[in-house]
Amino acid sequence: MASDRPDVSLADFQQLIRTMYYEKDIARGVDGTFMWLMEEVGELAAALRQGQHQDQLEEFADVLAWLATIANVAGVDLSEAVQRKYGSGCPGCGQLVCVCPNEGKP
Amino acid sequence: MASDRPDVSLADFQQLIRTMYYEKDIARGVDGTFMWLMEEVGELAAALRQGQHQDQLEEFADVLAWLATIANVAGVDLSEAVQRKYGSGCPGCGQLVCVCPNEGKP
């Protein structure tokens, strides 16, 4: 997981995608954009099954980009979303290292 | 999109999910984890169609969490991924504000 690049924040990434694509995104709307997300999820599945590391990097980036696009159109702040749900530990057990029983979420 | 919370970096979020769930995640593997991602993508679709803003926040967070989980299992750095693909502008036209023709990617 090592990288010599500076880290990127979720808010900055969402804003970057907004700057790049918002005019197209808002015209396409949530429903049409969701179709693009699904296409990229399929490509991610293919890259995970049989792709090289470079392919997997690209497909993860595309899924994140389309997710950010939908969030932009829906008016959802991804950074706020993850901090609310995961910022205080596992939503199931409340622990930083999850101790939820396996029958609940293995 | 305003939030009074501090921003969260993609690397920190991926590491948080790793700390919380990595033992379970590595035991489940990529294939089993992908099924969980798909379940959450379905819940996101439902929240976008008929959910309240709070539901949408939760479902975006869950999709991001399962995506981070798969990236952890596959050994992919999400921060590196988005910086490589989107850090120098739109991958299609190279511009910060995309000018790709609509017939290519509307």
Side-chain angles (χ1 to χ4, degrees):
Chain A
M1 311 289 290
S3 168
D4 56 1
R5 294 154 193 269
D7 196 7
V8 59
S9 79
L10 259 173
D12 284 349
F13 178 62
Q14 186 171 355
Q15 180 58 51
L16 178 71
I17 295 297
R18 170 183 285 264
T19 301
M20 271 184 210
Y21 301 116
Y22 189 66
E23 277 192 40
K24 288 183 170 190
D25 294 341
I26 202 75
R28 194 190 314 106
V30 166
D31 292 13
T33 304
F34 208 88
M35 295 284 281
W36 282 98
L37 173 64
M38 291 301 89
E39 186 169 315
E40 293 300 338
V41 166
E43 292 180 11
L44 174 61
L48 287 166
R49 284 208 318 113
Q50 58 194 12
Q52 303 296 310
H53 183 71
Q54 179 62 35
D55 305 317
Q56 297 176 359
L57 280 171
E58 289 207 19
E59 298 308 335
F60 272 107
D62 285 342
V63 169
L64 282 170
W66 284 105
L67 206 60
T69 286
I70 297 175
N72 283 335
V73 177
V76 168
D77 182 331
L78 293 179
S79 184
E80 178 189 359
V82 301
Q83 287 181 80
R84 277 182 189 254
K85 182 112 192 208
Y86 293 96
S88 305
C90 170
C93 63
Q95 302 295 307
L96 180 58
V97 179
C98 171
V99 294
C100 290
N102 272 348
E103 54 268 32
K105 206 154 204 172
Chain B
M1 309 290 289
S3 168
D4 56 359
R5 294 154 193 268
D7 197 7
V8 58
S9 79
L10 260 173
D12 285 349
F13 178 62
Q14 186 170 356
Q15 181 58 51
L16 178 72
I17 295 297
R18 170 182 285 263
T19 302
M20 272 185 208
Y21 301 115
Y22 189 66
E23 278 193 40
K24 289 183 171 191
D25 294 342
I26 202 75
R28 194 189 313 107
V30 166
D31 293 12
T33 304
F34 208 89
M35 295 284 280
W36 283 98
L37 173 64
M38 291 300 89
E39 186 170 315
E40 293 299 340
V41 165
E43 292 180 10
L44 174 61
L48 287 167
R49 284 209 318 112
Q50 58 195 12
Q52 302 297 310
H53 183 71
Q54 179 62 35
D55 305 317
Q56 297 176 0
L57 279 171
E58 289 207 19
E59 299 309 335
F60 272 107
D62 285 342
V63 170
L64 282 169
W66 283 105
L67 206 60
T69 287
I70 298 175
N72 283 334
V73 177
V76 168
D77 182 330
L78 293 179
S79 184
E80 178 189 0
V82 301
Q83 285 180 80
R84 277 181 189 255
K85 183 111 191 209
Y86 293 94
S88 305
C90 170
C93 63
Q95 302 297 306
L96 180 58
V97 179
C98 170
V99 294
C100 290
N102 271 348
E103 53 268 33
K105 206 154 205 172

